[in-house]
Amino acid sequence: LVLTASLAAAVSRSEAEETARLLATLLDAGRVVIDRNQPLIDDQHKGNKGFTPEVFERQLNEEFLARTGIDLARLSQARVPPMAKDLFRALVKASKDVVADAQLVINQRGVGYKNFIPATFGSQAAARFSSKSHVRLKQTALQPRNEKNQPDLYEAAVLQQLATQPNQSTPFSEVTDGGKMLRVLTSIYYTKDCLKCHGGPPGELDISGYPKEGAKEGDLAGAISVTIPLEER
């Protein structure tokens, strides 16, 4: 699914902002589904986990519906910006493809930690989606473990600002490039489960072999960055 027609005409800032917010929510919903299934994924005693792309999609739909009231199974009836519907479908497909490609890893017996974690899933799903869309979706952080998630200058400046503020539930939004682009960053914060790898003591190697950051619950982990063109392409 190559998304060009839905972005052929100029879109309003309010429509683009809502679309960006919902795309970030959908990507994060997928991260949450992976996190909830982490004990199953990393169960070294079990071979076939039954965590198929279809099972993932069902849980993704449930999580997104609970957060937004939008039923992805009935998108034609959903009250969302017109441009959003094809984008949602593309992100769901990209997310399912990531889970499909990980099946051999997920179902490997005798290996505990698989390195198929929310951050890995999010980076791969965002990259797949962005490769087929004029909308760019990305996980980013000031000190990312994955070099592909390095912030650009704009993202770094916003992340620096967010790091000095209390927990922000409202996305940061700004029109850039002379009115041609909308940049939207939605904050991600460390939860208790994240601290197993990102907590303390700082410098100690976690299960994946990376040094822990010494983060605390509620600290800024990074952001989901969405870039949407506002003008005709």
Side-chain angles (χ1 to χ4, degrees):
L1 179 61
V2 179
L3 304 172
T4 54
S6 64
L7 293 177
V11 297
S12 69
R13 174 170 178 169
S14 60
E15 179 182 3
E17 282 181 332
E18 178 66 359
T19 298
R21 181 186 70 82
L22 291 170
L23 283 172
T25 301
L26 182 54
L27 181 65
D28 193 52
R31 289 163 45 95
V32 168
V33 170
I34 299 301
D35 185 53
R36 287 178 181 163
N37 285 276
Q38 203 73 67
L40 173 65
I41 292 169
D42 291 342
D43 186 347
Q44 62 181 321
H45 304 294
K46 191 172 184 179
N48 188 347
K49 309 295 196 305
F51 186 60
T52 64
E54 293 71 29
V55 169
F56 166 83
E57 181 179 19
R58 184 173 67 250
Q59 295 183 21
L60 175 67
N61 288 354
E62 291 170 355
E63 177 66 21
F64 190 68
L65 178 62
R67 290 196 188 190
T68 66
I70 298 169
D71 188 348
L72 293 170
R74 295 178 174 83
L75 265 181
S76 60
Q77 306 165 24
R79 299 182 64 180
V80 298
M83 67 179 296
K85 295 181 181 181
D86 280 346
L87 293 170
F88 291 168
R89 293 185 184 103
L91 182 51
V92 170
K93 183 182 186 305
S95 300
K96 287 179 65 180
D97 287 347
V98 169
V99 175
D101 286 352
Q103 288 298 296
L104 286 177
V105 172
I106 290 171
N107 295 322
Q108 187 174 6
R109 191 193 302 270
V111 177
Y113 179 70
K114 307 292 199 311
N115 196 31
F116 189 67
I117 58 176
T120 303
F121 159 82
S123 293
Q124 294 179 1
R128 282 175 180 261
F129 168 84
S130 299
S131 70
K132 297 182 181 298
S133 170
H134 289 310
V135 174
R136 187 171 65 89
L137 184 62
K138 175 186 175 185
Q139 287 182 165
T140 189
L142 287 172
Q143 295 180 313
R145 293 184 173 189
N146 184 343
E147 287 299 312
K148 294 180 180 178
N149 294 339
Q150 283 285 352
D152 60 25
L153 291 176
Y154 178 83
E155 291 163 342
V158 175
L159 286 167
Q160 290 281 7
Q161 181 177 335
L162 291 172
T164 64
Q165 299 174 349
N167 191 308
Q168 292 286 316
S169 58
T170 303
F172 186 97
S173 172
E174 186 175 351
V175 174
T176 64
D177 298 272
K180 296 179 182 179
M181 292 287 178
L182 179 72
R183 305 291 305 266
V184 180
L185 269 73
T186 301
S187 306
I188 302 172
Y189 296 93
Y190 286 118
T191 65
K192 185 176 181 180
D193 286 343
C194 298
L195 302 185
K196 289 181 289 187
C197 290
H198 297 280
E204 180 181 87
L205 297 184
D206 67 12
I207 192 171
S208 65
Y210 282 96
K212 295 182 178 180
E213 290 88 350
K216 297 180 176 59
E217 187 174 359
D219 284 353
L220 182 71
I224 295 173
S225 176
V226 185
T227 304
I228 296 183
L230 295 176
E231 292 190 350
E232 240 179 273
R233 297 184 64 91

